């Protein structure tokens, strides 16, 4: 059986523009992110929103906290600027400011995303950046 060659881990530093997002604030384990993103994506479509880009999660505690039951994070769906969807009790519509980011692509099952996140955090530290 032939061995599958894997691409080397690659990080890009890039400027991302401000984004209008549908956002849900959460507290819980990282394992819930996938399900919550699916629920939020469904909510956006049902409420007439137009999706502009890939879903994401933000982690206000950054690298300072070990993932677990009490982890704070936000799941976000970027919205097209022409979307007129309004938030509700659970879903907020917010603008994330433009930022310079270090980005890496995760390939594989969601259960392995922690490894990609750890590699990205290591790369950030090794290259003189700060995770915020």
């Amino acid at each position: 059986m032939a061995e599958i060659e894997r691409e080397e881990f690659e990080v890009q530093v890039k400027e991302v523009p401000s984004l209008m997002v549908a956002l849900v604030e959460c507290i819980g384990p990282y394992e819930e992110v996938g399900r919550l993103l699916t629920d939020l994506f469904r909510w956006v479509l049902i409420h007439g929103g137009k999706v502009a880009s890939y879903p994401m999660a933000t982690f206000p505690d950054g690298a300072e906290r070990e993932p677990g039951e009490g982890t704070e994070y936000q799941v976000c769906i970027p919205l097209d600027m022409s979307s007129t969807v309004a938030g509700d009790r659970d879903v907020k519509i917010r603008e994330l400011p433009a930022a310079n980011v270090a980005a890496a692509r995760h390939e594989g099952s969601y259960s392995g995303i922690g490894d990609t996140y750890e590699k990205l955090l290591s790369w950030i530290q090794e290259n003189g950046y700060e995770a915020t």
Side-chain angles (χ1 to χ4, degrees):
M1 183 178 329
E3 190 170 317
I4 299 173
E5 220 176 286
R6 300 258 180 211
E7 278 188 37
E8 192 170 315
F9 185 73
E10 183 180 329
V11 175
Q12 293 179 329
V13 176
K14 58 186 177 179
E15 185 174 335
V16 295
S18 63
L19 291 171
M20 188 64 62
V21 298
L23 174 147
V24 175
E25 295 175 332
C26 310
I27 297 176
Y30 287 167
E31 291 80 17
E32 292 293 310
V33 171
R35 180 187 61 78
L36 292 166
L37 282 171
T38 300
D39 291 347
L40 181 57
F41 186 78
R42 186 176 297 121
W43 183 95
V44 167
L45 294 178
I46 288 170
H47 288 84
K50 296 178 185 173
V51 176
S53 186
Y54 297 105
M56 67 183 82
T58 64
F59 301 91
D61 291 339
E64 301 300 316
R65 185 178 179 126
E66 289 293 316
E69 293 296 321
T71 301
E72 293 182 37
Y73 56 92
Q74 302 163 339
V75 293
C76 306
I77 302 290
L79 300 172
D80 186 279
M81 294 306 272
S82 68
S83 287
T84 57
V85 64
D88 64 19
R89 183 174 58 91
D90 298 319
V91 179
K92 309 297 183 242
I93 306 300
R94 293 205 180 128
E95 184 174 351
L96 300 181
N100 287 320
V101 302
R105 183 182 188 107
H106 171 73
E107 294 187 21
S109 71
Y110 201 81
S111 65
I113 202 164
D115 292 337
T116 300
Y117 186 66
E118 288 302 319
K119 287 178 185 176
L120 180 59
L121 289 175
S122 293
W123 185 95
I124 288 168
Q125 187 175 33
E126 291 166 7
N127 287 275
Y129 293 98
E130 182 180 338
T132 60

